[in-house]
């Protein structure tokens, strides 16, 4: 079960092409800023785990419109916009809760249609390069997350999408990328500290959460290490991607080999899984130049047999040249702090 969502390479997004990264406002300490705005307190949202053979994504509720309509979304650090199914979407969104713009008094339609292309798939099926597309129309409306409200913020109403998205048990995606766009940027403008933290637990443990604007210190123990973002850490991706030339698979086990029928996917004979090392350590360089390790238990490695080759199990580490993406399979073993204002990340063992 592999799902790559919201990687930082929107291929055909007319919207993304227009959006320019904006400067991030770090909390100002000047008296002027203090009188100008009241600081917002962090909020913590419970997250459910979308589990399909493996922990795919973590999802939580936001509300949109007046009166509020509840939308379940993926909080995705690999993308920047907020899009969700709407009643304009018909069949292609029939499994999802759909936002009905005619029932919101604060809704303003935009009439600007864009197509976002994602790398995504569900199940052990082709992963990279399949064109999963969302067609959406822009609008503005009120959005609330855990009681924090942003008025008249840009949203994208999904009006059509391709088959890879049909099975999603959630309505949309809320982008929380490192440039602080959209909803998160509006909250920062209102005085919310420019960081958020994920506690992405495996489904069996439950109690996953997102704290926007702060850190939930009750969720970990010990000191966290900080690193400059050299890889792309992506909460919306279930797996870990490294360039082919790093030959990470060969380092783990010579039994892990490219899967012929799927570009970028790797597999191992299912009966060899017990021979794998107990854990995989990925070494990162922290901002001060020191090395630190993040470790994935090797149970994360297998996501089940390939459909076209049941003797071979797909591994959760994929090859993708030009991009390092570290997704949920690593993130769920740490409490992660995404300090957007400081452009750094923190990890704490849980
Ligand atoms: C989202 O809201 C629905 C009710 O609208 C509720 O059943 C569900 O448990 C909520 N999920 C989360 C993760 O809060
Ligand atoms: C959007 O299109 C509809 C129908 O074509 C039109 O009535 C409406 O005024 C347009 N809205 C905007 C904001 O351009
Ligand atoms: C929709 O997008 C167009 C083009 O970028 C923009 O001019 C318009 O203001 C947007 N409308 C809303 C309601 O956000
Ligand atoms: C949705 O997109 C599909 C192609 O992916 C197309 O066949 C279909 O006609 C579209 N539906 C609408 C309502 O535009
Ligand atoms: C990281 O892991 C490697 C291999 O297990 C080990 O040799 C190294 O000492 C570790 N580094 C740190 C900073 O813990």
């Amino acid at each position: 079960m592999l799902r790559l969502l919201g990687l930082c390479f929107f291929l055909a997004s007319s919207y993304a092409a227009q959006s320019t990264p904006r400067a991030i406002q770090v909390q100002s300490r000047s008296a002027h800023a203090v009188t100008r705005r009241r600081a917002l307190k962090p909020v913590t949202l419970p997250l459910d785990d979308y589990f399909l053979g493996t922990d795919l994504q973590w999802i939580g509720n936001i509300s949109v419109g007046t009166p509020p309509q509840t939308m379940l979304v993926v909080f995705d650090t690999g993308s920047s916009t907020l899009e969700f199914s709407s009643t304009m979407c018909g069949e292609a969104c029939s499994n999802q809760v759909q936002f009905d713009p005619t029932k919101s008094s604060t809704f303003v339609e935009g009439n600007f249609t864009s197509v976002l292309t994602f790398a995504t798939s569900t199940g052990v099926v082709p992963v990279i390069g399949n064109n999963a597309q969302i067609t959406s129309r822009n609008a503005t409306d009120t959005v609330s997350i855990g009681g924090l409200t942003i008025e008249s913020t840009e949203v994208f109403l999904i009006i059509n999408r391709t088959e890879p998205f049909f099975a999603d048990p959630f309505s949309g995606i809320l982008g929380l990328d490192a440039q602080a766009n959209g909803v998160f940027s509006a909250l920062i403008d209102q005085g919310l500290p420019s960081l958020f933290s994920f506690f992405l637990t495996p489904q069996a443990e439950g109690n996953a959460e997102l704290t926007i604007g702060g850190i939930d210190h009750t969720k970990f123990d010990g000191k966290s290490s900080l690193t400059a973002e050299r890889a792309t850490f992506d909460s919306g991706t279930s797996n870990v991607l490294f360039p082919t030339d790093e030959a990470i698979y060969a380092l783990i086990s010579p039994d892990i080999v490219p899967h012929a029928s799927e570009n970028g996917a790797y597999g191992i004979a299912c009966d060899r899984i017990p021979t794998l090392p107990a854990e995989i350590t990925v070494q990162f360089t922290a901002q001060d130049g020191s090395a630190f390790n993040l470790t994935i238990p090797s149970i994360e490695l297998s996501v089940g047999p390939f459909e076209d080759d049941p003797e071979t199990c797909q591994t959760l580490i994929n090859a993708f040249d030009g991009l390092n993406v570290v997704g949920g399979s690593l993130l769920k073993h740490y409490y992660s702090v995404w300090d957007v204002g400081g452009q750094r990340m923190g990890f704490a063992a849980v």
Side-chain angles (χ1 to χ4, degrees):
M1 310 292 165
L2 276 187
R3 159 156 294 233
L4 305 178
L5 186 67
L7 303 185
C8 303
F9 56 101
F10 294 143
L11 303 175
S13 161
S14 44
Y15 172 73
Q18 286 180 0
S19 75
T20 39
R22 36 168 300 153
I24 293 154
Q25 292 195 341
V26 187
Q27 256 190 305
S28 168
R29 305 223 180 277
S30 81
H32 173 69
V34 171
T35 52
R36 190 167 55 85
R37 62 184 192 196
R38 193 163 48 98
L40 293 180
K41 293 240 164 61
V43 294
T44 293
L45 251 77
L47 300 179
D48 276 343
D49 184 340
Y50 174 26
F51 186 92
L52 207 55
T54 186
D55 302 286
L56 282 177
Q57 279 153 332
W58 288 265
I59 49 187
N61 283 324
I62 62 169
S63 67
V64 183
T66 311
Q69 299 178 40
T70 300
M71 294 283 128
L72 193 57
V73 297
V74 176
F75 294 94
D76 179 20
T77 62
S79 66
S80 60
T81 51
L82 170 58
E83 48 265 326
F84 42 78
S85 296
S86 75
T87 49
M88 289 182 274
C89 178
E91 270 303 288
C93 300
S94 57
N95 288 332
Q96 282 79 30
V97 171
Q98 299 169 6
F99 175 72
D100 184 349
T102 66
K103 298 210 168 108
S104 173
S105 63
T106 42
F107 178 80
V108 178
E109 71 180 321
N111 290 0
F112 177 71
T113 301
S114 56
V115 178
L116 290 177
T117 300
F118 291 80
T120 192
S121 77
T122 314
V124 184
V125 292
V127 176
I128 289 170
N130 61 331
N131 276 353
Q133 291 188 328
I134 287 180
T135 308
S136 64
R137 195 168 293 172
N138 75 333
T140 59
D141 208 338
T142 300
V143 172
S144 293
I145 306 178
L148 300 174
T149 297
I150 312 109
E151 280 165 12
S152 169
T153 191
E154 188 161 50
V155 297
F156 291 84
L157 271 53
I158 297 172
I159 58 172
N160 198 1
R161 54 187 188 174
T162 51
E163 204 271 335
F165 294 103
F166 288 4
D168 289 348
F170 49 86
S171 292
I173 303 162
L174 191 154
L176 282 175
D177 74 339
Q179 275 76 46
N181 288 289
V183 165
F184 186 49
S185 134
L187 289 172
I188 296 169
D189 287 348
Q190 289 180 35
L192 189 75
S194 56
L195 79 166
F196 55 87
S197 308
F198 276 116
F199 184 50
L200 302 178
T201 55
Q203 191 203 38
E205 287 170 28
N207 300 315
E209 61 173 44
L210 164 65
T211 299
I212 304 186
I215 299 173
D216 179 354
H217 290 275
T218 66
K219 293 297 184 220
F220 59 93
D221 166 41
K223 81 180 191 356
S224 58
S225 34
L226 291 170
T227 173
E229 234 174 311
R230 303 197 48 183
T232 302
F233 289 86
D234 185 353
S235 64
T237 292
S238 61
N239 47 353
V240 179
L241 306 184
F242 289 104
T244 327
D245 58 12
E246 291 198 1
I248 190 168
Y249 328 93
L251 289 176
I252 298 166
S253 163
D255 295 333
I256 299 177
V257 292
H259 191 62
S261 64
E262 289 172 27
N263 189 24
Y266 282 69
I268 180 171
C270 299
D271 62 10
R272 298 293 297 162
I273 289 173
T275 70
L276 290 172
E279 50 185 37
I280 299 155
T281 297
V282 187
Q283 190 168 314
F284 294 88
T285 307
Q287 275 177 329
D288 65 3
S290 66
F292 73 97
N293 290 332
L294 298 179
T295 296
I296 318 173
S298 61
I299 193 159
E300 295 295 344
L301 263 188
S302 170
V303 295
F306 283 103
E307 267 168 17
D308 65 356
D309 180 4
E311 307 286 296
T312 305
C313 285
Q314 182 169 3
T315 62
L316 206 55
I317 295 181
N318 285 42
F320 193 84
D321 286 324
L323 192 67
N324 290 333
V325 176
V326 177
S329 51
L330 192 149
L331 295 173
K332 74 186 179 189
H333 299 288
Y334 293 88
Y335 187 86
S336 59
V337 179
W338 306 62
D339 178 2
V340 173
Q343 289 288 297
R344 59 188 186 159
M345 293 191 62
F347 294 93
V350 294

